[in-house]
Amino acid sequence: MLKKYFLFLYFIISSYSFSQGMQLSVYSKISVITYGPGDALYEKFGHTAIRIQDPVLQLDLIYNYGIFDFTEENFYVNFTKGFMKYRLARYSFPPSLRGYNNDERWVKEQILNLNVQQRNTFFRYLENNAQPENASYFYDPFFNNCSTKPVDIMKDIFGDIIIYKDDYITEENTIRELMNKEIHTNTWGSLGINIALGNRLDKTAQPSEYMYLPDYVFEALENSKIIKDGKEENLVLKTNTLIEYPEKTINSDLISPLLVFLILFIIGAYISFKDLKRSIRSRWFDKSLLLITGLFGVLIVFLWFFTNHSTAPNNFNFLWAFAPNFFLAFLINKKNPPKWIYNYIKFLLILLGLMPIVWLFNIQLFPYVLIPLFVLLGIRYWVILKLQKALNT
């Protein structure tokens, strides 16, 4: 968090405008910088930025599209609604490396094979973007982020003279599968993201969609070409390792979701066994389950219908996190709930029964750490119906 404020302070300090007539020299270089993943959730995917060097002009600048401003009016409300404003920040490159070195994150540089005219066109484009009135953009974590920006800019500036190769992609993945390779699925951060986002993430990703991840931007540039004098040349002139550390391993949380849901399953299975033996239903436990699943359901409905998040709609997690559960929790807690409640419980069982079909046909993948919860819900709904039937006979 402190690093974000530090970079924003850099943005404020460095937001001056260079002279419109400034020209990069023949000794200038433009590079795409790829940063390895960090420990914080927002750092797990790594990062991409653009570097401009010119020893004649004594410039060594980084252009970072990954800055957000907490002080912006209604920042948190807009963030929740999906109107996430990020901005381009320009600041001195060498000091910025220290933070990555302290965090033991590797940094690689790809120097682009551009002539001086192309470098100046690139420079002017970035400088125009860096002006306060142009610096902000609406961020999308999968389709418009700091990693997609460099490629989008080059497409905008250079058009068809850059040929992006995709033969480095050797297997088909969905966007969700790509995401789950970067964040361990048995973590609370991964669980929250996978519950909140719908099945747009479950279609097979096109090569261009891989590039929401910095590693794939790096690979794409390594394999791409640029047309010079009618001939194809490598787009990347040279690749340098600026900071070398081993790739960080992705680990599950110590108190992981799977552990918590397994414990909940064991407790719930024991309560269900005792309830069947005594023919008495633990109403507090059913109320708790319906409240929890209902709250998740309300969140899903809110993200789906009342926000601008591009990947929130069509979220089949509603099959287990059903929003009306929140209101029904208070009725099921009564000693003699309305009889229609039991038809509602049958409907919940049907919804749970649809989940394997949705999963097997790759309509949407569910977090595997939730399997103990899914089984517990099925058991508990069956116990409610079983005890209700016993009471009526």
Side-chain angles (χ1 to χ4, degrees):
M1 190 68 71
L2 288 175
K3 283 183 287 186
K4 288 291 182 182
Y5 283 111
F6 175 71
L7 289 177
F8 181 66
L9 179 61
Y10 248 131
F11 168 76
I12 296 296
I13 295 171
S14 305
S15 60
Y16 60 87
S17 172
F18 290 118
S19 168
Q20 293 296 315
M22 179 177 285
Q23 295 287 313
L24 296 177
S25 74
V26 293
Y27 301 103
S28 61
K29 291 185 287 189
I30 294 184
S31 312
V32 174
I33 306 296
T34 304
Y35 304 88
D39 295 318
L41 179 61
Y42 66 87
E43 297 173 336
K44 293 291 186 183
F45 300 101
H47 185 49
T48 306
I50 302 166
R51 180 187 186 185
I52 291 185
Q53 298 169 268
D54 193 328
V56 175
L57 298 176
Q58 296 184 334
L59 295 181
D60 192 354
L61 300 171
I62 194 76
Y63 292 77
N64 181 357
Y65 280 89
I67 304 299
F68 50 89
D69 178 9
F70 296 100
T71 65
E72 185 181 86
E73 186 178 359
N74 298 321
F75 172 82
Y76 292 102
V77 173
N78 290 331
F79 190 91
T80 303
K81 290 182 177 180
F83 296 100
M84 297 179 285
K85 266 196 172 182
Y86 274 49
R87 62 173 65 242
L88 166 62
R90 176 196 60 213
Y91 46 88
S92 177
F93 177 68
S96 71
L97 279 181
R98 286 196 289 268
Y100 292 95
N101 192 42
N102 293 338
D103 291 342
E104 298 186 354
R105 297 171 64 181
W106 58 258
V107 180
K108 296 179 182 179
E109 173 186 50
Q110 293 167 296
I111 301 172
L112 300 179
N113 186 8
L114 304 175
N115 61 38
V116 68
Q117 181 181 350
Q118 291 166 335
R119 295 197 294 271
N120 273 293
T121 301
F122 209 142
F123 178 54
R124 287 193 295 270
Y125 187 103
L126 291 173
E127 275 304 298
N128 182 60
N129 265 197
Q131 302 313 304
E133 64 272 19
N134 302 326
S136 297
Y137 71 99
F138 283 110
Y139 172 88
D140 186 298
F142 299 99
F143 305 106
N144 192 31
N145 65 15
C146 63
S147 296
T148 64
K149 281 294 183 183
V151 175
D152 290 342
I153 290 169
M154 284 189 276
K155 287 179 179 178
D156 194 21
I157 296 174
F158 304 121
D160 295 336
I161 70 167
I162 294 181
I163 303 167
Y164 296 98
K165 305 285 188 178
D166 53 35
D167 51 1
Y168 65 93
I169 298 174
T170 57
E171 59 182 22
E172 290 188 348
N173 288 284
T174 66
I175 297 174
R176 191 186 302 275
E177 287 169 338
L178 291 172
M179 177 187 71
N180 287 336
K181 288 180 180 181
E182 304 296 325
I183 310 177
H184 199 291
T185 49
N186 195 18
T187 60
W188 294 103
S190 174
L191 177 62
I193 295 171
N194 276 288
I195 290 176
L197 302 182
N199 76 342
R200 187 178 179 186
L201 297 184
D202 294 282
K203 70 181 184 69
T204 301
Q206 298 300 311
S208 61
E209 292 173 329
Y210 277 66
M211 287 189 280
Y212 83 89
L213 295 171
D215 284 347
Y216 288 103
V217 175
F218 182 89
E219 291 296 330
L221 297 180
E222 286 290 294
N223 287 273
S224 295
K225 305 293 182 181
I226 185 169
I227 299 174
K228 284 191 167 185
D229 300 322
K231 297 180 181 179
E232 287 188 11
E233 297 183 12
N234 291 333
L235 176 59
V236 175
L237 197 61
K238 185 180 180 183
T239 300
N240 299 317
T241 299
L242 303 181
I243 300 177
E244 187 169 11
Y245 282 106
E247 187 83 9
K248 289 183 180 290
T249 56
I250 56 172
N251 301 307
S252 65
D253 290 338
L254 183 61
I255 303 176
S256 67
L258 183 58
L259 175 63
V260 170
F261 290 122
L262 280 173
I263 293 172
L264 178 62
F265 169 77
I266 293 169
I267 293 171
Y270 175 76
I271 290 172
S272 298
F273 173 76
K274 296 290 286 185
D275 284 357
L276 288 172
K277 194 172 182 179
R278 297 178 302 159
S279 295
I280 299 174
R281 183 167 62 84
S282 299
R283 298 194 304 271
W284 66 269
F285 189 68
D286 296 326
K287 179 181 179 180
S288 300
L289 284 179
L290 288 175
L291 273 176
I292 292 169
T293 56
L295 280 171
F296 277 111
V298 170
L299 173 65
I300 289 168
V301 169
F302 172 74
L303 292 173
W304 185 338
F305 294 103
F306 300 102
T307 73
N308 196 48
H309 292 286
S310 65
T311 51
N314 303 322
N315 188 345
F316 284 85
N317 279 297
F318 81 86
L319 292 172
W320 66 271
F322 199 55
N325 286 7
F326 179 79
F327 305 100
L328 271 294
F330 299 96
L331 293 177
I332 201 77
N333 196 45
K334 292 182 177 181
K335 188 173 183 180
N336 295 303
K339 289 188 177 181
W340 61 264
I341 286 285
Y342 300 104
N343 288 327
Y344 177 82
I345 297 298
K346 291 177 183 177
F347 178 66
L348 292 182
L349 274 172
I350 292 171
L351 293 183
L352 284 178
L354 293 174
M355 291 185 65
I357 299 172
V358 171
W359 203 330
L360 289 171
F361 283 91
N362 293 321
I363 298 170
Q364 181 169 331
L365 299 183
F366 301 106
Y368 76 86
V369 299
L370 287 177
I371 291 175
L373 175 63
F374 300 156
V375 177
L376 175 59
L377 289 173
I379 291 173
R380 201 61 207 172
Y381 295 156
W382 177 80
V383 167
I384 292 172
L385 295 176
K386 183 79 173 174
L387 292 178
Q388 181 265 341
K389 186 177 180 181
L391 290 172
N392 290 342
T393 55

